[in-house]
Amino acid sequence: MFHRVKTAGILGGFFAALCFCSAAKGDDVTLKTSVTTGASYDSNIYSRGQSQNPEEDYVVQLVPQIEVLDASRAMTVSVKYAPSGYYYLKNPQLNSVDHFASAALQAQLSRKSTFGVSESVRYTKESREASMTGIQTKRMRILTNDVALNATHEFTPSFSASANASDTVLKFEDPNSIDSRTDTAGVTGVFKATGNTSITAGYTYTRFSFSSVPNDTHSDTHTVTLGLKSQVSESFDVSLSGGMTRSPSASKKNDWVAAVDLRKTFRASSIDIGYSRSVTNTAGLTDLLNVNNRYSIGLTHSLTGSTDIGVHGVYSDNRTNPGVLHLTSYEAGANASWRAYSWMTISAVYSHFQQWDNASTGDDIRKDLVTLNFTATMSEWRF
């Protein structure tokens, strides 16, 4: 099993750096706080399959959040922490507290060079919060720890290059789930063809490590991509990329990756359409590489200056090669928010999720969630 990363020391180091930098520069540190309270209806609190008698419940939640920010022309440091308390009316034994903490530092090393480092920690019971695959597993505690580094240098007004590295750990409470660690390192070049259009080319090396029985396993991938970003008009943005990936240890050694993001804005509305194909893990279900295809669409509309509504849909396809796992799912939902006062926002969200198991490794899952939240944002403190 992978050792838990000692994140408290790292996050504490960020906070110490924030206080030291602020004292050295004589700048103010900004403290932002908010509290969200609400109630929700969950039709499947254990995220069980349809044949396992899903249970429903009503849940009261309380989410305080604190953020400390120090920003100057040369450096920005931020630390955020948000615990989430969940209290079940019918099943009090499920009462729990999730945790999310993050820290980031972005520094302007020179007029043409920047450097950044960030870390986030999430302790949750929902697999779709812990993993971006869209895979829903049964209710269990999951720890996600992400660390990322990036450095960028502008060589000419029309060409810049960046180097990045990241480490992501997924740990599961269930001993039958497979912990994973994903390490990446890559370089990207950006060429500005025009004021509104840029061309990107990149290479990424990724190592997937799985905590399997009896021995840990590893899979490496090498990915080359070419992309295009363009602001076609003031209201239309396009981002396209595609490439090839090679996995020497996989049964299917060569595959392709792609990403498409389209955004159109109107006077009071916006629409976002996306597609991505990537090689990733299976959220603890296997120790094989997973090809994830994700389609998404979202529409937001501002009814008034203080009232917004939106709808969204996501379709995901996850499959391994060999075909040990093949899951397809979709999520559709609607949301509305109203800023009743400058310090209070009321929001309502409905989502429907459905997952099908096409390889007979589990069971189909259905989940409906209705939530009503009240968020109070306190005045900023400076010290």
Side-chain angles (χ1 to χ4, degrees):
M1 304 292 283
F2 298 113
H3 297 292
R4 177 177 295 185
V5 179
K6 295 183 178 180
T7 56
I10 300 176
L11 293 172
F14 273 106
F15 185 75
L18 183 152
C19 296
F20 174 79
C21 293
S22 176
K25 302 192 305 290
D27 292 345
D28 291 337
V29 173
T30 302
L31 175 65
K32 301 179 180 180
T33 57
S34 65
V35 177
T36 297
T37 183
S40 62
Y41 164 78
D42 189 337
S43 68
N44 191 349
I45 56 175
Y46 291 99
S47 299
R48 291 172 175 167
Q50 291 298 100
S51 65
Q52 301 177 38
N53 300 318
E55 291 186 42
E56 64 179 14
D57 205 341
Y58 297 90
V59 188
V60 176
Q61 60 191 45
L62 179 64
V63 186
Q65 178 175 289
I66 181 172
E67 180 179 8
V68 184
L69 176 68
D70 181 24
S72 68
R73 185 175 62 180
M75 181 181 296
T76 300
V77 184
S78 64
V79 178
K80 181 185 295 185
Y81 174 59
S84 303
Y86 297 94
Y87 307 94
Y88 292 77
L89 300 186
K90 298 180 181 179
N91 298 270
Q93 73 276 9
L94 297 182
N95 293 351
S96 62
V97 179
D98 292 352
H99 300 272
F100 173 78
S102 66
L105 181 151
Q106 191 71 27
Q108 188 78 35
L109 302 181
S110 68
R111 188 170 59 88
K112 296 184 177 182
S113 301
T114 62
F115 171 79
V117 57
S118 64
E119 179 176 16
S120 65
V121 183
R122 185 181 295 276
Y123 191 55
T124 180
K125 59 186 179 299
E126 286 291 340
S127 62
R128 285 187 290 143
E129 292 182 1
S131 169
M132 298 302 294
T133 60
I135 294 176
Q136 178 71 61
T137 64
K138 67 179 182 180
R139 175 193 171 100
M140 72 177 92
R141 286 296 181 183
I142 306 171
L143 173 69
T144 306
N145 185 199
D146 296 294
V147 179
L149 302 170
N150 69 81
T152 302
H153 182 74
E154 182 183 288
F155 291 92
T156 69
S158 59
F159 178 74
S160 63
S162 63
N164 60 80
S166 66
D167 173 74
T168 301
V169 173
L170 271 174
K171 289 178 61 67
F172 300 89
E173 176 188 37
D174 184 359
N176 295 318
S177 297
I178 298 174
D179 297 347
S180 67
R181 182 169 192 162
T182 306
D183 297 291
T184 69
V187 292
T188 302
V190 180
F191 172 71
K192 293 184 179 179
T194 67
N196 296 327
T197 302
S198 61
I199 299 172
T200 62
Y203 163 77
T204 302
Y205 164 76
T206 305
R207 162 156 281 207
F208 297 92
S209 302
F210 301 98
S211 181
S212 305
V213 177
N215 299 312
D216 293 350
T217 61
H218 307 279
S219 296
D220 298 336
T221 65
H222 304 268
T223 306
V224 178
T225 57
L226 186 66
L228 173 71
K229 293 183 179 181
S230 179
Q231 185 179 20
V232 180
S233 67
E234 292 185 357
S235 62
F236 187 40
D237 296 314
V238 176
S239 177
L240 309 171
S241 68
M244 299 298 297
T245 184
R246 179 170 176 79
S247 308
S249 61
S251 58
K252 183 179 180 181
K253 300 185 182 301
N254 299 310
D255 213 316
W256 57 277
V257 295
V260 178
D261 290 293
L262 309 175
R263 181 176 177 82
K264 175 66 176 177
T265 58
F266 304 92
R267 177 172 297 181
S269 306
S270 65
I271 184 169
D272 293 273
I273 299 175
Y275 166 74
S276 65
R277 178 184 174 92
S278 61
V279 177
T280 182
N281 57 61
T282 58
L285 296 180
T286 73
D287 60 355
L288 299 172
L289 295 183
N290 167 37
V291 177
N292 171 260
N293 286 275
R294 185 178 187 273
Y295 306 80
S296 64
I297 185 170
L299 173 65
T300 60
H301 178 70
S302 180
L303 296 176
T304 67
S306 59
T307 306
D308 299 310
I309 59 173
V311 294
H312 70 274
V314 178
Y315 175 83
S316 298
D317 180 275
N318 292 274
R319 64 179 72 196
T320 60
N321 193 340
V324 174
L325 177 142
H326 182 197
L327 298 173
T328 56
S329 65
Y330 80 89
E331 180 187 4
N335 62 276
S337 65
W338 173 47
R339 184 176 291 276
Y341 302 98
S342 60
W343 55 272
M344 186 178 75
T345 301
I346 303 172
S347 60
V349 180
Y350 166 74
S351 68
H352 171 76
F353 176 80
Q354 180 82 48
Q355 177 174 281
W356 294 272
D357 185 346
N358 302 300
S360 299
T361 59
D363 198 355
D364 297 344
I365 297 175
R366 177 174 177 172
K367 193 178 183 75
D368 290 281
L369 190 65
V370 182
T371 303
L372 178 64
N373 283 329
F374 298 82
T375 300
T377 303
M378 316 305 176
S379 299
E380 295 183 357
W381 292 68
R382 297 182 182 274
F383 55 94

